[in-house]
Amino acid sequence: MASDAAAAPAAPAPAPAKPAPPKLRGSYNCGRCGLPKKGHVCSVPGPASTAAPASGAGDKAGEPQPPPQQTKPRRALQFDDPAASPPAASAVVLDTVPPEVAAPPPPRPRPLTPAAGKKKARAEVVDVDAEEEDGGDDDGPPLPWVEVGEGRRAPGEVLVGVLQRLPPRAVAAAAGVSRGWRECSRRLWGGAEEVRLRASGVRPVAALMARCPALAKLVLTMDSDVDATLLACIAFSCPNLQSLAISMVNSAANRITGDELSRFVSEKRSLLVFTLDGCSSLGFLNVNSSSLSTLWLSGLCPLTKAVVNCPNLNELSLNFAIQNNDSTDLVALMDSLGRTCPNLRNMHISSIRLCNEAVFALESANLRGLCMLSFLQGSKITDAAVASIVRSYASLELLDLSGSGITDNGLGMISNAFPNTLTFLLLARCPNITSFGVQVAAAQLPLLRVMDCGQSICATPQPEAGRYYFGDLTGGIKFCSKLPVQRKQQTTCQNLIIKHNTLKKLSLWGCSAIDALYVNCPELVDLNLNLCTNLHPERLLIQCPKLKDVHVKGCRDMLIGAIRNQVLNEFAAIEPRLPCKRLADGSKRVHVPHFMIEQLEEQEKWGRPRKSQCTVHLNW
């Protein structure tokens, strides 16, 4: 019986040895201190293990015990059993998303719910966006999320797009906000291809150029003096620069010499466009480049030597300052352009030294591909130079002879030579042309789009300065003054009729000799009538339905009122619109049927465009 009693309680012994069902979901909080497990190191000691003293009885006191070995590290965000199969792919995506790319964590931890599967989908979307960026432009690693204030974050790519719309000074200030903002500004500078900067010295330019290795176009506006240091800084920091423009403001001086400019252009083999303002210290000009296609130099002082050797040059602009002691040899320059710049297409020269001989030298250069020719301030250019231009070039699209001494005969030669190509004709301050020549040019140039005759049709031309000679009077030699040479006197009252189908801009500023004006241009959008003091309101007619801007600075009040009535049509809204119609004999009015009124409204709604609103400018 004693043995039976001992065996009876031993029968249910295997029941407690049955393993408990595995826990499918771990606790989010620590079992010791109750804090969240993610990134947490618990400081509360755990319960003493009974097996540890037995196995490590011989270890020294004070030595840290090795942690219990696990077959697989258990993460805080793990929804499967550690002893089960490997984690799902969605959990791996959540782990592999970098913390700087993933969405920012919520401010407070929340207990896990069965709806936590949405976090997996969100992680997958972030990973797809990263793959799309990697497959596109290779601009480096993805940018982190950036703090933008009040606990809010934004993607770094979005912040870079915002910084692209700010000026360089604001971008530099944004770099000091935080580390994320600095990284976004660094990414923006690193990929910038065009920068427009206004600086007060070379130091800020050098600091900015060091951050832009991919810069291709640079536009600088300098508030301080400039020397060769700026060119050296740009040449060192921007190896791939293709376009450079430097302008001076606030009385800043350009101290770059001709030797320094020649060295910079010749060594910068990637440079295609170069524009420099205030070139008063050059002394001489010797430009040699095999890549340069556009060269603009303004503010030039007298040059002892002027050589431009650029085989691929397409556009050349030389603007000389007005100085009475200008001794630049433009004849030699024009003669050499045919050998040194055979591909020249656009030329702009502004100098009081321009004369017929310089134009004749350009004719001998044999530049048959010229499309745009501009000679400014050449008061010694006459109709003989126009005849040379007509013989040399057959496809001119722009011709600017402002400030020249051509007459209506030269204007007639231009009209007969370029009827199928000329679209821009600029003849400002040509005192020897009349309204008749302008009217003939507008009629014979059907492709004309811009025409400028400002201060050309003037009522009181300025006479030449008086000169002296030695004359024989009453048997003796006496020093006496010679009468000034009177230019062709233009009549005070001249009529001008401009009727053109493609003309878009017409400038008649300062034409005080115009008494009557009729303009019928369906495509005209800009009309300049500044200082037309003798134009009568009763003899003005403007028929330009697309006119947008009319300039009337310095005109009489009655003329301004007449222009407003014609271009603004102020009384059109006041005039009543009666549904009536006059009969063929004009005897009586009858009411228009209702269906005809509907047809008229339908035509105005779909068929007839509304008249564009025009602006009358009373200031410059």
Side-chain angles (χ1 to χ4, degrees), residues 106-240:
R108 282 182 91 178
R110 298 178 183 179
L112 292 175
T113 59
K118 295 182 180 180
K119 288 183 174 293
K120 298 182 183 180
R122 185 176 183 179
E124 292 176 0
V125 171
V126 173
D127 192 40
V128 169
D129 292 342
E131 289 179 0
E132 291 178 356
E133 291 179 1
D134 293 340
D137 297 333
D138 190 10
D139 294 333
L143 290 171
W145 286 61
V146 182
E147 186 78 22
V148 295
E150 299 182 357
R152 299 179 180 179
R153 294 187 179 186
E157 291 78 6
V158 175
L159 188 59
V160 170
V162 174
L163 293 178
Q164 288 178 352
R165 293 162 174 81
L166 299 179
R169 191 180 300 273
V171 177
V177 175
S178 64
R179 183 179 300 175
W181 285 68
R182 183 167 59 254
E183 182 64 27
C184 292
S185 63
R186 185 182 297 112
R187 178 70 61 86
L188 176 61
W189 291 124
E193 296 182 356
E194 178 180 355
V195 173
R196 299 176 181 269
L197 177 65
R198 180 168 181 172
S200 58
V202 181
R203 181 173 298 179
V205 177
L208 181 61
M209 294 301 100
R211 306 176 184 178
C212 306
L215 191 63
K217 182 178 181 180
L218 176 61
V219 180
L220 291 178
T221 303
M222 303 302 297
D223 289 328
S224 60
D225 296 350
V226 172
D227 54 9
T229 307
L230 178 63
L231 297 181
C233 173
I234 296 174
F236 177 77
S237 304
C238 305
N240 301 321

Side-chain angles (χ1 to χ4, degrees), residues 504-518:
K504 291 184 176 295
K505 291 186 178 182
L506 176 62
S507 179
L508 300 173
W509 61 276
C511 295
S512 57
I514 297 178
D515 176 70
L517 177 63
Y518 170 61

Side-chain angles (χ1 to χ4, degrees), residues 16 29 31 44 49-50 63 68 156 268 380 507 516 526 544 550 562 616:
N29 298 331
V44 179
S49 177
T50 57
E63 283 191 2
K268 203 66 178 176
K380 299 179 182 179
S507 179
D526 189 282
C544 306
V550 180
V616 179

Side-chain angles (χ1 to χ4, degrees), residues 22-24 70-74 78-86:
K23 190 175 182 180
L24 299 179
Q70 296 183 1
T71 59
K72 179 180 177 297
R74 184 179 180 87
Q78 184 171 338
F79 309 108
D80 51 352
D81 186 23
S85 60

Side-chain angles (χ1 to χ4, degrees), residues 272-337:
L272 300 178
V273 180
F274 183 55
T275 304
L276 185 60
D277 187 17
C279 305
S280 58
S281 303
L282 292 183
F284 70 94
L285 182 64
N286 187 7
V287 179
N288 296 276
S289 175
S290 59
S291 61
L292 197 64
S293 62
T294 303
L295 177 62
W296 283 58
L297 301 177
S298 60
L300 290 168
C301 286
L303 301 176
T304 58
K305 179 183 178 182
V307 176
V308 180
N309 185 8
C310 302
N312 296 321
L313 192 66
N314 293 328
E315 185 171 356
L316 175 64
S317 176
L318 301 178
N319 190 352
F320 290 84
I322 301 177
Q323 295 182 0
N324 295 328
N325 59 346
D326 192 354
S327 59
T328 306
D329 191 1
L330 294 180
V331 176
L333 175 63
M334 298 292 183
D335 186 43
S336 63
L337 288 178

